[in-house]
Amino acid sequence: MGTLAQQLVNGVVIGAVYGLIALGYTMVYGIVRLINFAQGGLYAAGAFIGLEVVEILQAHRVESPALLILAALAGAMIATGALAFLVERVAYRPLRRAPILSALVSSLAVLFLIENVIQLLTGAQPQTYPSLLGLQPWTLGPITLAPSGLLIVLVALGLMGAMQWFVQRTRTGRAMRAIAVNQEVAGLMGVDVRRVVALTFVMGGALGAAAGVLVGLNYGTITFNMGELAGLEGFTAAVLGGIGNVPGALVGGLVLGLLQSLITIVLPNQWNEAVVFAVLIAVLAFRPRGILGERVAERA
Amino acid sequence: MTGLGRLPLPASAVRLWQARRRPRVRLGLRVGGLALVAGFASAPFWLGNSYDTDVFCDMALWAAIGLGLNVVIGFAGLLDLGYMAFYAFGGYTFATLSLHLGFSLWEALPLGTILAGVASAVFGFPTLRLRGDYLAIMTLGFGGIVDIAANNLSLTGGANGLYGMAPQSVFGYQLSTNNVIGYYVLALALVAVAALATYRFRHAKIGRAWACIKDDELAAAASGIRVTRCKLQAYVLGAIWAGVAGAIFAAKQGLVSPETFTFDQSFFAVAIVVLGGMGSIPGVILGAVLYILISEYFQGITGTYSGLIFSVLLLVTVLVRPRGLIPYTPGQRVRARARDGPPAGAGSAPDPLPLEDFRCAD
Amino acid sequence: MQAGTRMRRSALAGVVGIASAVALVGWNGAQAHVHAAGATPVKIGFANPLTGSEASYGVSDYNAVKLAVNSVNAKGGVDGHKVQIIAYDTKADPATGIAGAHYFVSQGVNAVIGFFNSDISIPASAILHAAGIPMVSAASTNPKLTEQGFHNVFRVCGTDNEQGLVEAEFARNVLHAKTAVVLDDEEVYGEGVSQFFANDFKKLGGKILSHQGINPNLTDYTSLLTQVKAMHPDILQFGGFDPAAGLLVKQGRSLGLKSTFISDDGVIGPAFTQAGGRSAVGSFLSSAPSPQDLASARPFVAEYVRTYHAQPTEFAGYNYDALNVIVQAIRDAHSITPAAIIRALAGIHTFKGVTGRVDFNSIGNNTTPEYVIYRVQSNYSNKIYWNPNAH
């Protein structure tokens, strides 16, 4: 019983991480219908930039954990957002009219490019986040939860809420939904398509960076190739929840996280990811619209 | 061509370029090009060391893989990110049958390809009706499952993989795994067969159907093409070919292990096709050559930068030359005919595309 | 016109591409000749993963070999021959690694140090055997490597079975543990050590509750560890490398897992305590005495830290020794021909390396690496806790 409860907690924490990565995929996919493979790379880049911010601040004797965490999150989100802007400008915009295949390959190339650059800059060594939130996990009966785990869940919820509000309630959000329905018509109606699409990429990158920093804070170790698997799992979560759907990203993340942690009860761990892939294939083949349905626009 | 004047080229080269359309010059250029290709392909024979032979053999095997994947991506327009899984089917089938039952490569080959074909049909049937980008992700997942299975089943030797297969022979000629010149010849034959077969497929009814589907799926369906069936045919054909190449690769390495079938490897296979030119047979071969040149021969020059260089090259190609280094242009044959007439003036409209190539089959 | 020129232009692109490829191959060949034309240097091939997820070990090993080469060359080389390293990046991929073995053959190297991963070393050793080139492995611990009957293959590091046995003996005879859960990273090395541990633990009367694999590229193992906790094992044994081990102990302790953590010399490196933090303290690691612990290795560690501003990883000392053993063999043989080096290597029994004595037995294994059990101290240093050979 205690094990089951703990597994649910584990599933929620990792699910929130998947949800955050999924949010980045979903934003971009919802607007321009591109699986932005570079999202995994942006997530890794965010984790490394966040660590750099923490190290620089610590070198300047900033010691308050709250300040360090906020600075790492903000710094990583801004810098990675800028990187995502660059990615959109260089690797996506010129291919807007090209077949979808070109854009997919281009985003894959960006993923590998980011990985290679991080590897060169860090010498392939795994890097370690300092433990800013203290090591003592909270215990409640048989259940334990690390403070950073709670932080992940809260930030994921907060960012999801912010995105939902942004997409549904602001002028720019309305423009995004309009572009999702029909780019041409939205342009004719006076929406600055280029600007809004660029903004979508920037937001996707910033969300990925937030996930990267939180993973660094919670698990401690980051590696240059961390984005490959996490990117795939984040995408699975996005599809599971209904790609293009903002709350769906978080729902998909949580469902995937819970599924993964509950599977370990019955199946040897080495088959865990195979099950994830199988779920992904099954969902795509039999319910491609996911749990909450597809696309920002259809829910507007 | 105007741009050429700005390049620092010797005057003779510029004059040659300007005269390139004169029949005799053109013939000369063609013969020269052919000689260059032949010289390059025969390099292992005159370089004569086992390393270059091994690298060229890998190059040819990658070219063969690329040509198979080209049917899937280039002809039918299906982005397959798990292609190497079928390569694994061929490799592991050969290794298992060879180790446990003493099968030779030629006895194991049909079984491996059948297995790859059946696996692709079973997987492809429910998935190929989906949109292109969803298909990409599903194939990625399929590749992941095969990779994990190879890593964990005792039949496939787990992380160790399988090795120690008996040496193979072809027509009584022993194929050595220490100097792989024999395998190189075999791989070259594989490339030739793949190039010829895919060329024939493209100009057959099925090839025109693929082109139709790739162009506009809805229109293809409307004009009576059974879209899912055609896609499945492309997918299974590609898988069967990967099975053949995988078995030969395993025999040449004397080893199969999960590292050969990861997502990265599938990505490189896609990159070869995109880099060279989707649908273009010479393009894909060039893509494979460049890939191996960069990852092998650049090692000494660029240290550990080959991954970086290759991803930049791929990105730049997609952006600047989206149809690849040697693009495939449909209706080549007709234009070749038109070219023999008086040369068209600069800036005139493109040749009309021949109708027959767009009439849909099946 | 446009379409027509496009086609011809692309044909030209192809020709130019192939021409440059031909030029490149030619240039590559020419390069080799330039080197060969020098004052007959001793060419040592060095193959390790220099990029990819295992690059951190490969780079450290490369650094160590470069240190050894520099110090040999600073003293005028060996018998007047300068030592030249020909590095090759295997990317931890067998196909690339096998090409590397062919590369060394084509470059006419006198000896090879490599290939780090056992699943590359084994097929590569066959190619080097056929070419008659000596190969000294400094990190491939799979027993099969030296059991193939190849006279050219030597190994300065220990083997997985020795390591698994020491861990099992320690767990049963010293800790009196009855039950264990075994995890491995599904790579040749980790899987090997864990399998040997599990077999020996059972033979000694212990019980293996579960043996599962993990993906070392993941960061979250909480679900698996929750299941492990529910089994209440005395021992959690892990076969693999330090980053994953650090994550395992950190997440395990935070879930309240009390089992004693035992792992291998892939975990001796600094990343274990960096990733594991306080949770790593009290873990037991099997290893041959590490460079940092051997008086003989102190100058090496100091020089390494001075040169590269980082601690050497676990196999760096072996790589340093591998190069020096080859140099010693050349001195003994008064010859740099591969055949002579192989003969001289087989006669090496008392060489003093930084990792201890090097003494090759009849199949080329070093008899010296006698595994001990380290304990991670509260100041994150490792201290020898149990030495089975001391009794």
Side-chain angles (χ1 to χ4, degrees):
Chain A
M1 193 55 221
T3 304
L4 185 66
Q6 181 66 52
Q7 290 297 22
L8 294 177
V9 172
N10 299 339
V12 169
V13 172
I14 189 68
V17 173
Y18 293 157
L20 267 180
I21 304 172
L23 213 48
Y25 275 113
T26 260
M27 291 294 293
V28 172
Y29 191 91
I31 310 302
V32 297
R33 308 217 117 203
L34 167 74
I35 299 172
N36 185 18
F37 284 106
Q39 188 68 26
L42 295 170
Y43 156 80
F48 278 86
I49 294 167
L51 178 60
E52 198 58 40
V53 172
V54 170
E55 280 175 351
I56 290 171
L57 287 179
Q58 279 186 331
H60 287 83
R61 294 175 190 284
V62 179
E63 266 145 30
S64 148
L67 196 65
L68 283 172
I69 291 170
L70 273 178
L73 272 173
M77 286 173 81
I78 292 169
T80 312
L83 182 62
F85 178 77
L86 200 71
V87 169
E88 194 270 343
R89 208 48 177 276
V90 174
Y92 172 70
R93 189 177 291 184
L95 298 172
R96 222 154 35 113
R97 308 247 170 261
I100 189 76
L101 220 142
S102 305
L104 283 175
V105 171
S106 152
S107 72
L108 270 172
V110 171
L111 168 66
F112 274 78
L113 187 59
I114 293 176
E115 273 190 4
N116 274 293
V117 169
I118 297 177
Q119 179 180 349
L120 281 178
L121 293 179
T122 62
Q125 304 276 357
Q127 307 285 311
T128 315
Y129 265 72
S131 50
L132 298 174
L133 281 170
L135 255 183
Q136 278 313 315
W138 300 312
T139 46
L140 178 80
I143 303 170
T144 59
L145 173 64
S148 47
L150 184 70
L151 182 73
I152 287 185
V153 177
L154 291 180
V155 173
L157 275 173
L159 283 175
M160 197 276 290
M163 283 303 113
Q164 179 71 352
W165 171 82
F166 183 83
V167 170
Q168 299 296 340
R169 295 274 177 269
T170 63
R171 258 183 88 82
T172 315
R174 194 163 61 203
M176 282 180 177
R177 283 180 286 142
I179 293 173
V181 176
N182 191 326
Q183 234 182 71
E184 307 271 304
V185 176
L188 291 174
M189 304 298 273
V191 174
D192 186 348
V193 174
R194 285 180 163 199
R195 198 183 62 91
V196 175
V197 168
L199 183 71
T200 310
F201 270 81
V202 169
M203 287 168 70
L207 288 167
V213 172
L214 289 171
V215 161
L217 286 170
N218 189 42
Y219 299 105
T221 305
I222 55 175
T223 54
F224 70 92
N225 59 352
M226 65 195 278
E228 237 173 83
L229 260 177
L232 199 59
E233 267 149 352
F235 181 81
T236 307
V239 169
L240 214 57
I243 192 156
N245 180 316
V246 170
L250 198 62
V251 171
L254 291 177
V255 169
L256 184 67
L258 287 169
L259 181 76
Q260 266 191 318
S261 60
L262 293 179
I263 287 170
T264 51
I265 299 179
V266 290
L267 211 64
N269 185 62
Q270 58 266 32
W271 295 101
N272 200 308
E273 283 160 77
V275 174
V276 173
F277 290 136
V279 166
L280 172 69
I281 291 170
V283 170
L284 282 172
F286 302 110
R287 195 182 156 77
R289 293 161 64 82
I291 297 168
L292 292 191
E294 201 186 332
R295 289 181 65 190
V296 181
E298 287 172 2
R299 308 212 357 117
Chain B
M1 297 118 273
T2 46
L4 214 69
R6 273 181 269 126
L7 295 173
L9 288 171
S12 54
V14 175
R15 242 177 290 130
L16 185 67
W17 174 249
Q18 280 161 350
R20 73 195 179 282
R21 245 171 289 152
R22 286 197 214 133
R24 277 168 67 189
V25 176
R26 197 168 67 211
L27 184 73
L29 277 175
R30 253 187 215 177
V31 169
L34 264 178
L36 211 56
V37 170
F40 184 72
S42 65
F45 296 98
W46 43 267
L47 286 171
N49 72 62
S50 69
Y51 171 62
D52 291 313
T53 310
D54 188 71
V55 172
F56 271 73
C57 189
D58 283 350
M59 216 181 264
L61 281 169
W62 273 105
I65 297 164
L67 288 171
L69 185 58
N70 193 31
V71 172
V72 184
I73 297 186
F75 292 1
L78 309 167
L79 182 52
D80 186 348
L81 294 177
Y83 188 65
M84 295 306 267
F86 301 118
Y87 199 61
F89 273 101
Y92 275 109
T93 308
F94 159 66
T96 314
L97 292 176
S98 166
L99 286 172
H100 296 303
L101 301 172
F103 276 43
S104 76
L105 175 61
W106 308 108
E107 289 159 345
L109 204 56
L111 279 160
T113 52
I114 289 170
L115 210 62
V118 169
S120 67
V122 169
F123 175 73
F125 185 70
T127 54
L128 284 170
R129 57 192 81 232
L130 288 164
R131 273 207 314 263
D133 43 0
Y134 273 22
L135 181 73
I137 282 289
M138 287 212 281
T139 53
L140 215 166
F142 178 72
I145 291 176
V146 171
D147 185 24
I148 292 167
N151 227 322
N152 287 300
L153 296 175
S154 56
L155 185 69
T156 55
N160 283 296
L162 299 169
Y163 48 87
M165 286 84 82
Q168 301 298 318
S169 62
V170 52
F171 303 128
Y173 174 79
Q174 278 285 325
L175 296 168
S176 162
T177 50
N178 294 323
N179 189 333
V180 294
I181 195 85
Y183 280 105
Y184 177 61
V185 175
L186 197 60
L188 274 185
L190 216 57
V191 173
V193 170
L196 260 170
T198 52
Y199 180 83
R200 294 304 297 257
F201 270 121
R202 184 167 62 200
H203 294 290
K205 247 164 98 174
I206 181 76
R208 290 197 292 272
W210 288 333
C212 259
I213 294 169
K214 191 186 168 193
D215 235 37
D216 187 339
E217 212 175 302
L218 266 175
S223 53
I225 295 177
R226 292 206 223 149
V227 171
T228 306
R229 206 177 92 173
C230 283
K231 281 184 181 176
L232 193 63
Q233 282 164 340
Y235 193 66
V236 173
L237 261 174
I240 286 174
W241 187 250
V244 174
I248 291 174
F249 173 78
K252 175 238 156 193
Q253 297 285 20
L255 156 95
V256 263
S257 78
E259 283 98 335
T260 312
F261 314 105
T262 56
F263 167 58
D264 288 20
Q265 304 285 336
S266 286
F267 166 73
F268 287 130
V270 172
I272 283 171
V273 174
V274 174
L275 190 68
M278 279 179 270
S280 157
I281 293 164
V284 170
I285 296 172
L286 179 66
V289 169
L290 284 178
Y291 166 56
I292 293 293
L293 282 181
I294 290 169
S295 62
E296 276 299 326
Y297 284 134
F298 272 28
Q299 272 214 352
I301 307 163
T302 58
T304 53
Y305 296 83
S306 67
L308 192 69
I309 292 171
F310 195 68
S311 39
V312 171
L313 183 64
L314 181 65
L315 190 60
V316 169
T317 307
V318 173
L319 294 172
V320 179
R321 241 184 127 77
R323 283 145 63 79
L325 295 175
I326 308 181
Y328 168 64
T329 38
Q332 268 177 1
R333 279 180 306 173
V334 173
R335 218 176 298 112
R337 246 179 279 136
R339 215 170 40 207
D340 293 335
S348 72
D351 299 279
L353 292 169
L355 254 183
E356 50 160 358
D357 272 13
F358 279 84
R359 202 174 305 137
C360 300
D362 197 351
Chain C
M1 156 66 201
Q2 273 181 351
T5 44
R6 198 191 305 144
M7 202 202 113
R8 256 166 266 137
R9 205 192 299 159
S10 56
L12 188 88
V15 170
V16 169
I18 288 171
S20 51
V22 170
L24 192 76
V25 173
W27 186 76
N28 213 54
Q31 274 256 311
H33 291 300
V34 171
H35 288 309
T40 55
V42 181
K43 289 196 264 186
I44 313 271
F46 172 80
N48 255 49
L50 300 174
T51 56
S53 54
E54 285 163 39
S56 53
Y57 306 99
V59 170
S60 182
D61 291 351
Y62 189 26
N63 287 342
V65 167
K66 280 192 284 190
L67 274 189
V69 169
N70 290 344
S71 86
V72 169
N73 284 344
K75 291 177 200 141
V78 47
D79 287 354
H81 305 282
K82 291 276 183 197
V83 177
Q84 183 198 336
I85 285 292
I86 297 177
Y88 186 92
D89 176 11
T90 64
K91 303 178 178 122
D93 167 47
T96 311
I98 288 170
H102 288 299
Y103 177 64
F104 290 148
V105 175
S106 75
Q107 293 288 300
V109 299
N110 306 83
V112 168
I113 299 172
F115 286 67
F116 191 82
N117 306 74
S118 292
D119 55 344
I120 303 178
S121 289
I122 292 169
S125 66
I127 291 160
L128 295 176
H129 177 249
I133 294 172
M135 162 172 162
V136 179
S137 172
S140 299
T141 49
N142 193 299
K144 283 180 196 140
L145 173 62
T146 43
E147 289 166 2
Q148 305 173 96
F150 293 159
H151 71 296
N152 65 319
V153 179
F154 299 88
R155 160 157 54 198
V156 288
C157 56
T159 55
D160 297 340
N161 46 348
E162 296 165 358
Q163 202 166 159
L165 177 65
V166 167
E167 287 176 25
E169 284 177 344
F170 175 70
R172 281 293 296 147
N173 301 341
V174 180
L175 299 179
H176 305 295
K178 293 184 185 64
T179 55
V181 167
V182 177
L183 304 178
D184 69 65
D185 67 355
E186 308 211 85
E187 287 177 23
V188 179
Y189 162 72
E191 202 175 273
V193 175
S194 278
Q195 198 56 56
F196 286 115
F197 169 82
N199 292 345
D200 291 329
F201 191 74
K202 273 187 279 189
K203 257 184 236 155
L204 293 169
K207 191 170 177 226
I208 301 293
L209 302 176
S210 174
H211 184 168
Q212 302 188 28
I214 66 160
N215 181 341
N217 293 321
L218 287 177
T219 43
D220 186 302
Y221 302 113
T222 51
S223 305
L224 171 64
L225 289 164
T226 302
Q227 291 311 118
V228 172
K229 187 189 165 193
M231 296 178 216
H232 300 292
D234 297 330
I235 303 286
L236 174 59
Q237 194 274 354
F238 171 66
F241 289 108
D242 39 359
L247 287 169
L248 281 173
V249 289
K250 186 177 172 187
Q251 290 166 29
R253 294 294 176 244
S254 131
L255 287 165
L257 179 72
K258 299 276 189 290
S259 316
T260 306
F261 186 76
I262 296 185
S263 191
D264 49 44
D265 63 357
V267 175
I268 284 282
F272 177 52
T273 47
Q274 273 166 24
R278 308 292 324 159
S279 312
V281 174
S283 301
F284 294 104
L285 310 173
S286 67
S287 172
S290 66
Q292 285 89 340
D293 266 305
L294 294 162
S296 55
R298 263 183 218 130
F300 161 70
V301 175
E303 197 191 347
Y304 188 101
V305 173
R306 200 167 49 243
T307 313
Y308 303 111
H309 308 291
Q311 287 287 327
T313 59
E314 41 275 39
F315 297 105
Y318 288 122
N319 277 277
Y320 190 85
D321 280 351
L323 189 111
N324 284 323
V325 161
I326 293 169
V327 166
Q328 183 60 45
I330 292 170
R331 278 202 191 104
D332 294 348
H334 299 297
S335 163
I336 61 167
T337 63
I341 297 176
I342 292 174
R343 274 195 303 278
L345 278 170
I348 292 229
H349 296 295
T350 55
F351 177 82
K352 270 198 198 148
V354 298
T355 58
R357 197 163 59 111
V358 176
D359 167 21
F360 290 128
N361 67 11
S362 59
I363 62 169
N365 277 340
N366 183 2
T367 58
T368 306
E370 286 171 332
Y371 284 94
V372 296
I373 296 286
Y374 275 93
R375 184 181 178 277
V376 181
Q377 305 296 105
S378 53
N379 64 354
Y380 297 133
S381 68
N382 299 319
K383 195 173 164 215
I384 296 179
Y385 184 84
W386 184 66
N387 186 346
N389 316 297
H391 308 291

